Amino acid sequence: MIAKSVLGGGVCLRCRLRLLGPHNLVPSIKQQRLRCFASESTAPSSFSDYHPAPARQNRIHHDQKGYENIQTRQGIGIKEYVPGSRARKRHLSRNRILTEVAENLGSDMLGKPASVIVMRDGGLYRNKDRSLENLEDDTTNHQKTSIEALLDSQQKPPVAHEVRENVDSLRPKTETALSEREFRKLQALLTDGFLSYQLSDYLEHHRHHRPPHEPLQGKEDDQAPMYDWIKEITPWVPLGTHLSIAEGIDPSLHGYVPVSATVKERLAVRIMRECWSLSIAELNAGLGETRVSIRSYKFKLLMRGTQRWMTIMGNIWLEPGEKIEAFRKQNTLRLVTTKTKAASLIKDLDKTLKHITTKHIRTSLVAPNPINEAVLEEVGRITNTHVRSCQTSERLYVTWIELSKPDSDKHLATENLRDVVFRLLLTAFSPQPATTATFYAAGLDDGVTGRLILDTTSRQKLKWKDRMGHWARYILPLEAECVTSAVENPLRRLELPVEPQTMLPELKKNRESSTDTRHSTHSVKWAANTGISTIAHFGYLLHAKGLSSTHPLPDLLAANPSRVFAPVTPHPVHLAKFETNSSDPHHTFPQTKTTIVVRLWPSPTLESSPSIEGFVGENKKSRRRGASPGQVCHAQAPVIELRLVASGGEIKGVESLRAVKQTHITDVMLPTSAVDVRFTQTQYAALEGELATWQPLADFLGSAHLDLANGKLDLPSRQNFPIPRRLFSSSSTAPFGTDPDADQDEMVSYSFVGLELNRSVSILFEGFRLSYTSVNGGADAGQRAQVSLEPASETESSKVKVDVGNFHNSFLAACHRLAETNWIWSGYLAEGQSL
């Protein structure tokens, strides 16, 4: 507003012009008009009085707000303000509406009525809903809200269900994995907005009743589902910087609340974790743990042997820092992984447990009496299976997890774990067919008394069942007066003759495995005469520890307790001295050799059934005419011994195939010496000719999976071989050719009972072959090194020159001198006397 008393020096030029009035400047204008453009202010101005518009023809249109819209010839739109009109122009200032109006001041200014422009507040700006413009205003029907009544109603304490609804209203609707900031912000809302007892009431109500809302589908996406083999599973818990969760700490709060947190903070976090299943995304990306309690039967299958499933899953899923731990006493697995990977591991474990296979074995086929549970537990541990006995059905049930499938149909014929369990029990409880034994002590008087010393170093050298027992060696002091000279009391002559053996020649190309599977009957045949092989092993004769510690020698020999043989080897440096000091004119360099020895026993059958438990029984076509089922007992058939030669990690071919008709074992106890001696003699008939083209052998090796480089030696569990009846242990002792049926073949079903991988180095010792052999018999036969002496010569001519009687005595004397030389077996590397 401009006052009249203001001096001229304090008024701007524009206001001066206004004070002068338009009538003093332009008297020819009859009506005052103020022109303004759209970009200028709408305030009244006399600026247009100084610029009279020329005569022109313009189209003028008066609007409702007091403006004239003038359209010039040039097409420019101009608005002119008429002071006397009613102006209602609106302006938007931030979020408020201002209405521009002209108001009279009720006084004159320079002889004219004074007026001002007033900006009236029109309220907040709101978007109009065009669909509601035509609706009648029914605001008059609304009742006025009483603020006092509203305040009075809030003075009453809230009801429990209202508090629970308020707490539940803070629950996120879609997300369960929040950021650290969002999680802590929600935690602060719970702790600041509610009391401790209200939070505790919400938590207890959730535990005893269903939650107010149904579980979100996304909540279970990264959690492992429950399977029938799971007894209990704990939620995934982040570990953070800790290696494990300490005892006494709630797993659901680990990593989410500090140790110094208050009770109210713990209640808030517990609601977010237990009731709402919320988590922090940053913690989910790190390592955590999940504990899975598994049912006993399934857990035993998983824990068998080397836990191959754990190795396979570890190679596929686990990264550095992640691991799978097993607690056998609690039947629990601990998975240390990320949250999403823990669920994937459990799903993969469920797929593994779906490949459970169960087969059974007739107990009478492997053992005459019920088998101890400890033995079944041990054989299950070795074979990664679960073996249980059923007394009512007299069967053994073998259950295992099939982790892999055969690579091809050719390998379907190889033995499965049921066959492995069968052969382990068969060799443990059934003696080798056609085997006899002799036991005596050499170089001692009958009145001596020795002691049984418990052996603690040879357990790994024994067979699997023998490792379960306790064994002791019978020894005497070295300075005993009753010990006589080895020359005066030499070793007794063996049960079978000792014949010089010729070293087998090198394999020829035609002995390698052939792809021709045609049955060859003319190129191979069994030898007409049998041979005898003799081999002496040096080690400890161990007796069962059930006897007392002190025993007179005659009582020990009369008791004839169960015994096993554990080989002992001298230091290789001592054996090298034999090769260096050798004065033999036919001296040769040490010979190395790698041999795979495969043994097959006649398949056990019952006289009442020729085929039981899947074993191929007697072939009706090959059975003699008039013979009834069960008349031929396969236990009387010879043992098959197959030798394969390997070199450079590859199998080169077949070295020999023997039918062992008789085996005799002579155990010689030397209590005053460092070692004892075991002589093994076999009477055998060799298969002569092109062995690789023999159809039964070609079928057997064709179904095998022999990968020596990777340690995979899988053989078929059964195979039929035609065996001449003269090689059966119950055959007639009539000379060859007198019995018309002696050379007739009998088709016999054989069971694979084991193999050994032998790597040997041989030198000459007093004209005999001394071998240092590393034997790998697998988990059932163990791994060991042994020293053996064989009456083998290098040429065929030596077999004619040597007298058989003297050769027998010379071989026994060499064995006795080798066993009596204590410095060889002592283990000390000091220089010893030469033999």
Side-chain angles (χ1 to χ4, degrees):
M1 186 175 69
I2 304 176
K4 296 182 179 181
S5 61
V6 178
L7 298 177
V11 181
C12 65
L13 177 60
R14 186 171 183 174
C15 293
R16 288 180 184 181
L17 294 176
R18 288 183 178 183
L19 293 175
L20 291 177
H23 59 279
N24 296 327
L25 295 177
V26 187
S28 60
I29 300 177
K30 297 181 179 182
Q31 186 177 1
Q32 299 182 13
R33 291 187 178 182
L34 299 179
R35 180 182 302 173
C36 66
F37 293 90
S39 61
E40 296 180 352
S41 174
T42 59
S45 176
S46 61
F47 180 74
S48 61
D49 297 338
Y50 293 94
H51 300 80
R56 62 185 183 274
Q57 295 179 359
N58 298 329
R59 289 177 297 177
I60 302 175
H61 173 72
H62 293 273
D63 58 9
Q64 298 178 357
K65 295 184 179 181
Y67 290 89
E68 291 182 353
N69 295 328
I70 303 175
Q71 187 70 23
T72 63
R73 294 179 180 179
Q74 291 79 9
I76 302 174
I78 301 175
K79 287 186 177 182
E80 292 187 353
Y81 174 73
V82 181
S85 63
R86 183 181 178 184
R88 286 293 186 269
K89 187 174 181 179
R90 293 182 178 184
H91 298 271
L92 181 64
S93 177
R94 293 187 179 180
N95 62 341
R96 306 197 70 82
I97 300 175
L98 302 178
T99 305
E100 178 182 337
V101 295
E103 298 289 345
N104 295 325
L105 296 178
S107 62
D108 295 336
M109 180 182 296
L110 300 178
K112 296 293 182 179
S115 64
V116 295
I117 297 175
V118 180
M119 308 297 291
R120 296 186 181 278
D121 187 6
L124 294 176
Y125 175 76
R126 296 176 182 177
N127 291 328
K128 289 185 177 181
D129 190 356
R130 299 299 180 183
S131 61
L132 301 179
E133 290 182 353
N134 299 328
L135 297 178
E136 298 181 356
D137 187 13
D138 57 348
T139 55
T140 57
N141 298 330
H142 290 292
Q143 299 179 358
K144 296 182 179 180
T145 303
S146 176
I147 299 179
E148 295 181 358
L150 181 62
L151 294 177
D152 293 339
S153 63
Q154 296 296 328
Q155 294 180 359
K156 299 179 181 179
V159 187
H161 72 87
E162 295 179 351
V163 176
R164 289 193 291 267
E165 290 178 356
N166 292 335
V167 174
D168 199 69
S169 64
L170 299 177
R171 178 180 183 177
K173 304 302 180 184
T174 57
E175 297 293 334
T176 57
L178 307 178
S179 63
E180 177 80 20
R181 181 179 178 182
E182 294 174 348
F183 189 91
R184 299 307 176 190
K185 184 178 180 180
L186 183 57
Q187 177 184 350
L189 290 176
L190 291 174
T191 54
D192 297 341
F194 300 92
L195 301 177
S196 297
Y197 83 91
Q198 294 174 340
L199 298 178
S200 178
D201 176 72
Y202 182 89
L203 186 63
E204 292 295 330
H205 183 270
H206 182 273
R207 291 175 177 176
H208 295 87
H209 302 82
R210 295 186 62 183
H213 297 282
E214 294 294 331
L216 298 175
Q217 295 181 357
K219 186 180 73 172
E220 303 293 337
D221 290 345
D222 53 359
Q223 295 183 4
M226 289 294 295
Y227 298 102
D228 55 353
W229 50 271
I230 297 179
K231 293 178 59 178
E232 183 182 1
I233 182 171
T234 61
W236 184 88
V237 179
L239 293 177
T241 58
H242 304 278
L243 297 178
S244 61
I245 301 176
E247 296 182 0
I249 298 179
D250 190 354
S252 62
L253 303 181
H254 187 268
Y256 287 86
V257 294
V259 181
S260 59
T262 62
V263 177
K264 192 175 184 180
E265 292 175 344
R266 292 179 180 272
L267 287 174
V269 175
R270 193 182 296 276
I271 290 175
M272 299 169 65
R273 294 284 294 146
E274 295 182 9
C275 303
W276 299 348
S277 298
L278 301 180
S279 61
I280 298 177
E282 291 82 355
L283 293 179
N284 293 344
L287 293 180
E289 75 167 28
T290 301
R291 294 179 180 265
V292 184
S293 179
I294 305 176
R295 302 191 183 279
S296 178
Y297 177 68
K298 304 286 186 178
F299 188 80
K300 286 182 179 180
L301 290 177
L302 294 174
M303 293 296 105
R304 285 302 179 190
T306 57
Q307 296 96 42
R308 292 182 298 168
W309 64 272
M310 190 179 296
T311 304
I312 295 175
M313 294 180 63
N315 296 334
I316 297 175
W317 293 100
L318 300 186
E319 296 179 359
E322 300 176 338
K323 58 184 177 180
I324 302 176
E325 296 180 342
F327 301 93
R328 294 180 180 269
K329 294 183 178 180
Q330 294 84 12
N331 293 347
T332 303
L333 293 179
R334 179 175 179 258
L335 309 179
V336 180
T337 58
T338 59
K339 187 174 183 179
T340 56
K341 192 175 294 185
S344 301
L345 281 174
I346 296 178
K347 292 180 181 178
D348 196 1
L349 187 58
D350 178 68
K351 295 180 181 179
T352 301
L353 290 175
K354 289 182 179 178
H355 294 85
I356 295 179
T357 305
T358 302
K359 293 184 178 296
H360 61 270
I361 302 172
R362 184 70 63 87
T363 308
S364 58
L365 292 175
V366 294
N369 300 319
I371 303 176
N372 188 9
E373 290 295 333
V375 176
L376 297 179
E377 181 71 18
E378 179 65 15
V379 72
R381 184 193 65 82
I382 296 174
T383 58
N384 296 335
T385 61
H386 179 261
V387 185
R388 60 184 180 89
S389 61
C390 182
Q391 301 297 337
T392 57
S393 60
E394 296 183 354
R395 293 181 178 182
L396 298 176
Y397 290 90
V398 184
T399 306
W400 71 92
I401 300 175
E402 196 72 43
L403 295 180
S404 60
K405 298 296 183 182
D407 298 335
S408 63
D409 295 339
K410 183 180 81 169
H411 300 152
L412 292 175
T414 57
E415 63 175 359
N416 53 33
L417 292 181
R418 182 262 186 196
D419 300 325
V420 176
V421 172
F422 176 84
R423 65 177 172 88
L424 292 183
L425 295 176
L426 178 65
T427 55
F429 291 96
S430 300
Q432 181 175 332
T435 301
T436 57
T438 303
F439 171 57
Y440 70 94
L444 296 177
D445 296 335
D446 294 339
V448 299
T449 300
R451 297 180 62 87
L452 289 172
I453 304 301
L454 182 65
D455 179 82
T456 58
T457 60
S458 305
R459 182 177 298 273
Q460 298 302 323
K461 302 176 183 180
L462 306 177
K463 295 183 178 181
W464 70 271
K465 185 175 179 296
D466 298 333
R467 297 179 208 145
M468 302 177 61
H470 299 280
W471 306 93
R473 183 176 181 238
Y474 188 80
I475 61 174
L476 291 174
L478 293 177
E479 58 274 5
E481 298 180 357
C482 55
V483 178
T484 57
S485 174
V487 178
E488 296 178 357
N489 296 282
L491 300 179
R492 302 176 189 175
R493 294 180 67 88
L494 301 179
E495 187 72 17
L496 300 177
V498 178
E499 299 177 354
Q501 300 178 18
T502 303
M503 293 185 180
L504 294 174
E506 296 182 358
L507 291 176
K508 299 180 182 180
K509 293 183 179 180
N510 56 8
R511 301 192 98 188
E512 296 180 355
S513 298
S514 174
T515 58
D516 186 10
T517 58
R518 292 175 298 175
H519 187 93
S520 177
T521 57
H522 303 287
S523 59
V524 295
K525 63 177 182 179
W526 292 100
N529 299 322
T530 60
I532 298 176
S533 66
T534 304
I535 183 170
H537 292 95
F538 300 89
Y540 298 151
L541 281 174
L542 303 178
H543 307 275
K545 194 58 180 66
L547 302 175
S548 60
S549 299
T550 304
H551 256 280
L553 182 59
D555 295 344
L556 180 64
L557 297 176
N560 193 15
S562 301
R563 60 186 179 275
V564 295
F565 184 80
V568 177
T569 57
H571 197 280
V573 173
H574 296 326
L575 295 179
K577 295 177 182 178
F578 297 151
E579 195 273 335
T580 304
N581 300 331
S582 178
S583 59
D584 192 341
H586 302 285
H587 172 70
T588 59
F589 291 101
Q591 303 293 324
T592 60
K593 188 176 183 181
T594 302
T595 308
I596 299 176
V597 182
V598 181
R599 294 183 175 86
L600 299 100
W601 286 8
S603 298
T605 58
L606 298 179
E607 293 184 356
S608 59
S609 177
S611 177
I612 296 180
E613 298 300 322
F615 284 93
V616 180
E618 302 172 15
N619 194 328
K620 296 182 179 180
K621 296 182 180 180
S622 63
R623 192 180 296 132
R624 291 184 302 169
R625 295 181 179 180
S628 60
Q631 183 175 351
V632 179
C633 181
H634 282 184
Q636 301 172 354
V639 173
I640 297 295
E641 186 178 280
L642 172 64
R643 292 179 178 267
L644 305 176
V645 177
S647 178
E650 297 180 358
I651 297 177
K652 298 301 182 180
V654 181
E655 180 184 88
S656 65
L657 180 65
R658 296 178 177 180
V660 180
K661 182 177 181 179
Q662 180 183 1
T663 302
H664 185 81
I665 297 175
T666 303
D667 290 335
V668 181
M669 191 169 55
L670 301 173
T672 60
S673 302
V675 293
D676 303 317
V677 184
R678 166 171 282 189
F679 295 95
T680 303
Q681 294 183 287
T682 58
Q683 183 183 6
Y684 65 91
L687 189 67
E688 299 174 345
E690 303 297 333
L691 303 183
T693 61
W694 194 41
Q695 183 63 37
L697 184 58
D699 294 342
F700 180 72
L701 296 179
S703 302
H705 181 204
L706 302 177
D707 187 2
L708 189 59
N710 296 324
K712 297 291 185 181
L713 300 176
D714 298 329
L715 295 171
S717 59
R718 292 170 295 277
Q719 180 62 40
N720 292 345
F721 290 99
I723 304 297
R725 298 193 60 83
R726 57 184 171 83
L727 299 180
F728 282 62
S729 59
S730 60
S731 61
S732 175
T733 58
F736 174 69
T738 58
D739 188 0
D741 296 333
D743 207 30
Q744 183 178 357
D745 291 341
E746 181 76 26
M747 189 63 69
V748 181
S749 173
Y750 279 89
S751 297
F752 168 68
V753 296
L755 62 81
E756 291 180 350
L757 176 61
N758 299 335
R759 295 182 173 91
S760 62
V761 179
S762 301
I763 59 174
L764 290 179
F765 173 74
E766 296 187 4
F768 304 105
R769 183 169 62 189
L770 181 65
S771 300
Y772 181 94
T773 307
S774 175
V775 181
N776 185 357
D780 53 342
Q783 299 180 0
R784 62 189 184 276
Q786 61 188 18
V787 172
S788 60
L789 191 64
E790 299 177 73
S793 58
E794 297 182 0
T795 61
E796 284 285 349
S797 60
S798 60
K799 188 174 182 179
V800 180
K801 295 178 181 179
V802 176
D803 181 67
V804 177
N806 294 332
F807 187 80
H808 193 152
N809 296 332
S810 300
F811 178 71
L812 293 179
C815 294
H816 192 257
R817 282 194 297 272
L818 184 61
E820 289 288 340
T821 307
N822 293 324
W823 65 267
I824 298 177
W825 311 98
S826 62
Y828 296 102
L829 299 182
E831 189 71 23
Q833 295 181 354
S834 176
L835 291 179

